[in-house]
Amino acid sequence: MQLVRAHVLVCGGKNCSAADSGQLKEVFAKELEKKKLDQEIKIVETDCHGFCEMGPLVIVYPEGTFYVRVTPEDIPAIVDEHLVNGRIVSRLLYKAPVKESQIPSYKELDFYRKQKRVALRNCGAINPERIQEYIARDGYASLEKAIFDFTPEQVIDEVKRSGLRGRGGGGFPTGLKWEFCHRSPGDLKYLICNADEGDPGAFMDRSVLEGDPHTLIEGMAIAAYAIGCREGYIYCRAEYPLAIKRLKLAISQAEELGLMGENILGTDFTFNLHIKEGAGAFVCGEETALMASIEGKRGMPRVRPPFPAQQGLWGKPSNINNVETYANVPVIMGRGADWFSSMGTEKSKGTKVFALTGKVNNTGLVEVPMGIPIREIIFEIGGGIVGGKEYKGVQIGGPSGGCIPASLMDTPVDYESLIQAGAMMGSGGLVVMDETTCMVDLARFFLNFTQSESCGKCTPCREGTKRMLEILTRICNGEGVPEDIETLERLGRVIKGTALCGLGNTAPNPVLSTLRYFRDEYEAHIFEKRCPAHACSALLVYSIDEEKCTGCGRCARSCPAGAIAGEKKEPHKIDTEKCIKCGSCIELCKQGAIIRL
């Protein structure tokens, strides 16, 4: 049998697939067959490698050469130059946005060099549909270790010593949560994974589900052993069809090898795992609403206590953690609690996965040690702000989180520091904003999402968020009144203190945090009828500088409303009554004569 001398990894993640990465593997196969290299070079389709902005990605091993934005037309050059002649195709290398230098290996990129991949350790490195590749990277060794070398109580103690806290948003100590369920009386208990990822722009859990499903299954099996569960559910939204497909395949593969199901690894430990597809309701991310949905009821939260560890799914003791939390468990059991707790801060151990999006050069999925400053994530891993514009702030924690301004960019990313700054860790959404972002409109956007996703069960959330949204909409339309600011703050405090579940408790956060740090923008909208970011169209006024206008007519010909008129080679004018404020005239004017106020 001929030895494989090189592996070519082709990213098959959603972003790369949207850019036709699916064709790359086929073209590679044809080119290698043509060169009679198909036996000595192996093509592996992986899932998301994280650097979504630069997809489709191709990595050539053993050297780890990192090619970005690869098209089918680039494949012959990679085969001829790199795989045949050993010469790197430099035009396909990543070019740093600031230093303008080409970087051949992904290990040398700031995007990866600053990360510490634990939950994402296998994503982009294995074929997620082959259990053998997961096992080759020590997969299921931690489950074996837990069952044969630890008692359930010792497993719980190890997780407690690691300092792992829930990565779904609340940050409750995972080991303590397991212990509560373990101690609850009863022969029938349930283990649940919350994979109902609903934050706008978030895809952290999705990447683990699609790129490394076995790490979730192994983590849940270890948790089931510790708690004393025989039945488990993965609650995954139906909008993730590939994740569901791979989870089903992974469960089937694990059952065939005796790693799931009856008498795991020949012992008396049994754990059966089921998949429940959710309909996409954001409120079902709340654990009691999620359990109601599994039971076939409408997804609405209930009053606690009793807590799920006492009376959860079908009234039985239950434990719920999210995907990222379970994904850390095999590493903790494999490498030890001390290794895991050596990362992070005193109260926030380990790493955190973030979906880095917005006005930043390097968007994608990142995993960083707890305690890293926001500045490093945005300006080193993220490569700075697009177009060199001024950094304004970051919305962290999704629609339930808060906005942290540029003045606090050295805030460490840990549970306590973020709460003190008026935000929260959340599940891991991180949206970067520049000078063109209107903070009032941003608060309106996130509140519009949470208000529409409210289940309507409790009055503070149902009615309070609606009133807040009405006020924000009015302010953005130039109809705000001075008392609106005080009203927003009062409503926000009442909703946070009286809403039934986490959705309502956190819904006012984007409004309250932007009022805290960007009150001047609210005041400009209300008192001056002006949007400092020039983003709220109702408050914009377009005019033409007669001294700069040459009368070329480009703006008049392109205006969809016919609001611009004037004689040829004479200064033109804008009819503000007709102007729809689309901004097309600014983009076309080469003289810079269009003024936007």
Side-chain angles (χ1 to χ4, degrees), residues 233-499:
Y233 286 87
I234 300 174
Y235 187 89
C236 183
R237 55 182 43 222
E239 290 97 326
Y240 285 0
L242 181 59
I244 292 170
K245 172 194 168 187
R246 287 181 174 168
L247 281 170
K248 289 179 177 178
L249 176 62
I251 292 171
S252 174
Q253 291 174 340
E255 288 174 343
E256 288 179 9
L257 296 181
L259 299 167
M260 283 292 296
E262 303 291 324
N263 304 117
I264 293 173
L265 293 172
T267 68
D268 59 358
F269 170 49
T270 293
F271 181 56
N272 296 296
L273 197 51
H274 315 279
I275 296 173
K276 171 68 176 180
E277 297 183 33
F282 184 66
V283 73
C284 286
E286 197 277 337
E287 58 184 14
T288 61
L290 184 152
M291 290 187 295
S293 181
I294 292 178
E295 292 171 352
K297 304 172 185 175
R298 182 180 176 187
M300 300 177 77
R302 61 169 170 77
V303 177
R304 294 173 296 177
F307 293 96
Q310 301 161 324
Q311 292 182 30
L313 190 62
W314 288 298
K316 302 299 182 181
S318 306
N319 180 85
I320 303 179
N321 290 114
N322 83 324
V323 174
E324 185 183 344
T325 308
Y326 286 123
N328 279 290
V329 172
V331 188
I332 291 171
M333 292 305 300
R335 304 193 65 170
D338 293 338
W339 176 85
F340 187 84
S341 64
S342 68
M343 299 178 287
T345 65
E346 182 181 354
K347 295 183 179 180
S348 300
K349 303 295 185 182
T351 61
K352 181 72 188 80
V353 180
F354 288 100
L356 184 60
T357 60
K359 306 296 181 65
V360 65
N361 282 306
N362 298 337
T363 59
L365 201 67
V366 303
E367 184 173 3
V368 294
M370 289 280 198
I372 187 174
I374 294 173
R375 180 194 300 271
E376 284 189 33
I377 297 177
I378 295 171
F379 289 95
E380 296 187 38
I381 295 174
I385 308 303
V386 174
K389 292 183 178 179
E390 184 179 348
Y391 168 60
K392 194 170 190 176
V394 61
Q395 173 74 16
I396 190 166
S400 301
C403 184
I404 297 180
S407 60
L408 296 179
M409 71 171 70
D410 289 315
T411 299
V413 175
D414 61 62
Y415 292 100
E416 287 71 31
S417 298
L418 293 179
I419 290 174
Q420 186 176 0
M424 62 182 291
M425 186 77 71
S427 58
L430 207 160
V431 184
V432 180
M433 296 158 288
D434 66 10
E435 61 197 64
T436 65
T437 305
C438 172
M439 306 312 291
V440 185
D441 186 55
L442 179 85
R444 182 199 60 77
F445 170 81
F446 282 115
L447 191 65
N448 180 63
F449 175 82
T450 50
Q451 197 279 324
S452 65
E453 292 290 340
S454 171
C455 74
K457 184 174 183 178
C458 71
T459 303
C461 183
R462 182 184 67 246
E463 300 297 331
T465 56
K466 187 175 182 180
R467 298 287 87 81
M468 291 184 76
L469 180 60
E470 289 172 350
I471 294 171
L472 288 172
T473 301
R474 197 168 65 237
I475 293 173
C476 289
N477 289 337
E479 301 167 356
V481 294
E483 55 266 29
D484 281 344
I485 293 178
E486 182 182 348
T487 303
L488 284 172
E489 290 178 326
R490 186 177 71 254
L491 280 171
R493 290 194 299 268
V494 170
I495 295 168
K496 281 180 69 68
T498 59

Side-chain angles (χ1 to χ4, degrees), residues 476 529-542 576 579 581-583 586 595-597:
C476 289
K529 306 303 178 186
R530 176 179 63 87
C531 176
H534 298 143
C536 296
S537 59
L539 298 176
L540 298 180
V541 177
Y542 288 82
T576 55
C579 179
K581 305 169 185 178
C582 65
I586 289 183
I595 302 170
R596 181 170 56 188
L597 302 174

Side-chain angles (χ1 to χ4, degrees), residues 62-359:
E63 55 268 48
T65 305
F66 190 77
Y67 292 124
V68 301
R69 292 178 177 166
V70 180
T71 67
E73 291 74 26
D74 296 320
I75 304 304
I78 295 176
V79 173
D80 289 336
E81 289 295 302
H82 190 143
L83 298 175
V84 174
N85 296 311
R87 295 190 292 261
I88 290 177
V89 185
S90 58
R91 64 180 176 82
L92 296 176
L93 296 178
Y94 170 75
K95 184 180 289 186
V98 178
K99 302 173 185 177
E100 290 293 315
S101 57
Q102 292 178 323
I103 303 175
S105 172
Y106 78 94
K107 294 180 181 179
E108 299 173 25
L109 271 65
D110 282 343
F111 182 83
Y112 291 108
R113 190 168 55 83
K114 290 281 184 177
Q115 294 189 49
K116 183 70 175 179
R117 294 167 76 89
V118 179
L120 301 179
R121 62 195 178 279
N122 294 325
C123 293
I126 64 171
N127 181 343
E129 297 188 0
R130 284 179 53 82
I131 190 173
Q132 294 84 353
E133 295 198 19
Y134 179 71
I135 291 174
R137 293 172 67 92
D138 297 326
Y140 291 104
S142 293
L143 174 60
E144 180 184 14
K145 180 179 179 181
I147 293 175
F148 289 102
D149 298 344
F150 287 75
T151 65
E153 293 81 5
Q154 288 173 329
V155 171
I156 291 173
D157 184 63
E158 191 76 2
V159 175
K160 287 171 66 177
R161 288 198 309 108
S162 74
L164 176 65
R165 295 170 66 173
R167 297 301 196 247
F172 192 83
T174 302
L176 190 59
K177 198 173 189 180
W178 290 11
E179 187 174 51
F180 290 155
C181 191
H182 172 78
R183 290 182 175 178
S184 292
D187 295 331
L188 181 57
K189 300 178 182 180
Y190 291 102
L191 188 75
I192 304 168
C193 173
N194 181 354
D196 189 58
E197 189 171 50
D199 292 10
F203 52 101
M204 299 79 62
D205 290 349
R206 177 181 188 167
S207 293
V208 175
L209 295 171
E210 295 179 353
D212 192 15
H214 286 284
T215 197
L216 169 61
I217 294 170
E218 183 177 14
M220 291 188 71
I222 293 171
Y225 171 74
I227 292 169
C229 292
R230 294 174 58 90
E231 301 291 328
Y233 286 87
I234 300 174
Y235 187 89
C236 183
R237 55 182 43 222
E239 290 97 326
Y240 285 0
L242 181 59
I244 292 170
K245 172 194 168 187
R246 287 181 174 168
L247 281 170
K248 289 179 177 178
L249 176 62
I251 292 171
S252 174
Q253 291 174 340
E255 288 174 343
E256 288 179 9
L257 296 181
L259 299 167
M260 283 292 296
E262 303 291 324
N263 304 117
I264 293 173
L265 293 172
T267 68
D268 59 358
F269 170 49
T270 293
F271 181 56
N272 296 296
L273 197 51
H274 315 279
I275 296 173
K276 171 68 176 180
E277 297 183 33
F282 184 66
V283 73
C284 286
E286 197 277 337
E287 58 184 14
T288 61
L290 184 152
M291 290 187 295
S293 181
I294 292 178
E295 292 171 352
K297 304 172 185 175
R298 182 180 176 187
M300 300 177 77
R302 61 169 170 77
V303 177
R304 294 173 296 177
F307 293 96
Q310 301 161 324
Q311 292 182 30
L313 190 62
W314 288 298
K316 302 299 182 181
S318 306
N319 180 85
I320 303 179
N321 290 114
N322 83 324
V323 174
E324 185 183 344
T325 308
Y326 286 123
N328 279 290
V329 172
V331 188
I332 291 171
M333 292 305 300
R335 304 193 65 170
D338 293 338
W339 176 85
F340 187 84
S341 64
S342 68
M343 299 178 287
T345 65
E346 182 181 354
K347 295 183 179 180
S348 300
K349 303 295 185 182
T351 61
K352 181 72 188 80
V353 180
F354 288 100
L356 184 60
T357 60
K359 306 296 181 65

